[in-house]
Amino acid sequence: MEDMMVHEQWMRAAMEEAKKAEAIGEVPIGAVVVRDGQIIGRGHNLRETTLDSTAHAEMIAIREASSALGAWRLLDCTLYVTLEPCPMCAGALVQSRLPRVVYGTADPKAGCAGTLMNLLQEPRFNHRVDIIEGVLQEECAAMLTDFFRRLRKKKS
Ligand SMILES: [Zn+2]
């Protein structure tokens, strides 16, 4: 169970990133890339702020981690993300040769780590990513449902 405590610790760091997104009115999704017990990349959703459909938490964290490592291959790294990766991010994770993804809550609308499809473990690709799902699931899901509830209240 020690492993799960470590996963929860890094998922809390991803949740801190998600809160940064929420603080500026973005949908609260956050990610961190961890290597050797250290965070080498962080990202939170910035789609509205940057008017960029590719500014997802994972993409930003991957870029930062690659720049920290000086390599596009994220060997020996784990990405923690509060929400299951979308097709774009799952594609980027495969491209970066990242060995493992840990996510908080499933995404029934875009999840490509097993919910709608599983791009991370597609046997025809040249790389497959291990998946650990459901770490701090309830807290990660609550952040999103609370955000959308407040948004609806504001509109009505
Ligand atoms: Zn994405």
Side-chain angles (χ1 to χ4, degrees), residues 56-59 85-90:
H56 287 192
E58 300 95 311
M59 304 295 281
C86 76
M88 169 183 68
C89 294

Side-chain angles (χ1 to χ4, degrees), residues 82-101:
T82 55
L83 181 67
E84 182 181 0
C86 76
M88 169 183 68
C89 294
L93 291 164
V94 171
Q95 292 300 323
S96 72
R97 310 287 192 265
L98 189 117
R100 186 168 66 169
V101 166

Side-chain angles (χ1 to χ4, degrees), residues 45-92:
N45 174 33
L46 287 173
R47 190 172 58 182
E48 302 294 338
T49 308
T50 57
L51 302 178
D52 178 358
S53 61
T54 72
H56 287 192
E58 300 95 311
M59 304 295 281
I60 295 163
I62 287 170
R63 284 195 197 107
E64 198 176 294
S66 289
S67 136
L69 281 181
W72 59 264
R73 284 188 191 85
L74 297 182
L75 304 176
D76 306 316
C77 294
T78 299
L79 180 129
Y80 292 82
V81 58
T82 55
L83 181 67
E84 182 181 0
C86 76
M88 169 183 68
C89 294

Side-chain angles (χ1 to χ4, degrees), residues 118-133:
N118 192 345
L119 290 177
L120 294 180
Q121 296 175 334
E122 165 54 50
R124 289 167 294 180
F125 287 157
N126 62 352
H127 177 79
R128 279 167 288 284
V129 183
D130 288 341
I131 302 168
I132 298 171
E133 60 180 74

